Amino acid sequence: MLQALGRAQQSAIAGVLRVSRAAVTQRLAAFTARGWVEVRPHHSDGRTNLVSLTAAGADLSTAAWQGLAASHDGADDGVDHVQLQRSLERVIGNAERHLS
């Protein structure tokens, strides 16, 4: 996500991942300690932090995606990925409504 966006607010990351802001803050602390991300205050809103990948984080992300591509085992051959994503989003939405 950060590789595509360049930087994002912590609250936006939590929203996309559907986790709490506290969970994102906790993981970001570990990622920052490893040198993968940088967290800085928003230039105009001191209550907001912006998160971006460092060069090391971008390298790690690229290597991970390349590893996934290299390990293609054919299990998803013929799968319509757009339709799969829509279906999974519907299942998640249904679960959130019915299990809340």
Side-chain angles (χ1 to χ4, degrees):
M1 179 175 137
L2 288 175
Q3 196 164 23
L5 296 175
R7 71 180 126 171
Q9 294 181 9
Q10 280 184 242
S11 58
I13 295 169
V16 168
L17 297 176
R18 297 182 183 199
V19 299
S20 69
R21 284 184 275 173
V24 171
T25 298
Q26 184 179 33
R27 294 311 316 150
L28 286 176
F31 294 167
T32 300
R34 289 179 173 90
W36 298 337
V37 299
E38 180 177 70
V39 180
R40 292 189 173 197
H42 191 281
H43 64 281
S44 63
D45 183 355
R47 301 168 298 157
T48 302
N49 287 326
L50 294 175
V51 182
S52 58
L53 284 177
T54 62
D59 290 346
L60 179 65
S61 179
T62 297
W65 283 110
Q66 289 173 345
L68 285 171
S71 68
H72 178 71
D73 59 7
D76 63 345
D77 286 349
V79 172
D80 181 338
H81 292 110
V82 172
Q83 184 59 42
L84 176 61
Q85 181 174 350
R86 286 183 189 132
S87 295
L88 290 172
E89 288 172 353
R90 178 172 289 177
V91 168
I92 291 167
N94 290 343
E96 288 174 339
R97 272 193 317 280
H98 296 287
L99 299 175
S100 297

